[in-house]
Amino acid sequence: MDMPDRPAWNVFQATCPTRKVLDCISDKWAVLVVGLLMGGTRRFGELRRGIEGVSQKMLTQTLRALERDGIVQRKVFASVPPKVEYTLTPLGHSLSHLVDALRIWAEANVDQVLQSQILYDQAGADAG
């Protein structure tokens, strides 16, 4: 589908649609779903078990949003009970490398962040 001529996107403008894209892909659960799907196709239960702390409702909402944005593909198999699988689309794969880079950064820097939080909290307590 061809897009009509439009001005260049600018995420810093309040009305820019790229903000909605950022909202979706910067969501904690979305990042974790994309990260797990990097390893290949997963069923709903596998995703739920793989992401500790996510509720069924939140996982469902996240998967629907990612599917709507073209990042995740949902495939339903005619069986009893119904079997549903989720996989990254080509667009999702292009995002997954960025998500993985964030994961690597977070794991490499968590100790420094936690130390900074402790120092900040102590300074706040000392000031009060």
Side-chain angles (χ1 to χ4, degrees):
M1 178 165 115
D2 289 334
M3 294 292 293
D5 288 336
R6 58 161 177 77
W9 299 124
N10 182 347
V11 74
F12 297 103
Q13 292 178 341
T15 58
C16 185
T18 55
R19 291 231 182 148
K20 291 184 188 239
V21 175
L22 282 177
D23 284 345
C24 179
I25 64 173
S26 64
D27 173 76
K28 165 179 68 174
W29 302 119
V31 167
L32 296 173
V33 166
V34 170
L36 268 185
L37 290 176
M38 283 181 69
T41 300
R42 308 275 179 147
R43 293 178 67 179
F44 185 90
E46 292 175 300
L47 289 168
R48 182 135 186 246
R49 286 187 300 276
I51 303 172
E52 292 183 14
V54 68
S55 68
Q56 181 171 337
K57 178 182 177 182
M58 188 52 62
L59 182 56
T60 298
Q61 289 175 354
T62 300
L63 287 165
R64 284 183 184 156
L66 291 170
E67 183 181 8
R68 182 173 186 256
D69 289 347
I71 295 166
V72 167
Q73 179 182 4
R74 179 178 179 260
K75 186 173 183 180
V76 180
F77 296 88
S79 62
V80 179
K83 178 181 171 184
V84 181
E85 291 182 342
Y86 297 90
T87 191
L88 292 175
T89 64
L91 182 63
H93 278 289
S94 71
L95 173 64
S96 69
H97 302 293
L98 298 170
V99 166
D100 201 43
L102 286 172
R103 177 194 59 81
I104 290 167
W105 183 91
E107 289 175 349
N109 292 286
V110 65
D111 291 330
Q112 186 175 345
V113 170
L114 292 173
Q115 185 61 34
S116 293
Q117 290 173 350
I118 290 168
L119 293 173
Y120 181 90
D121 293 346
Q122 287 174 345
D126 292 343

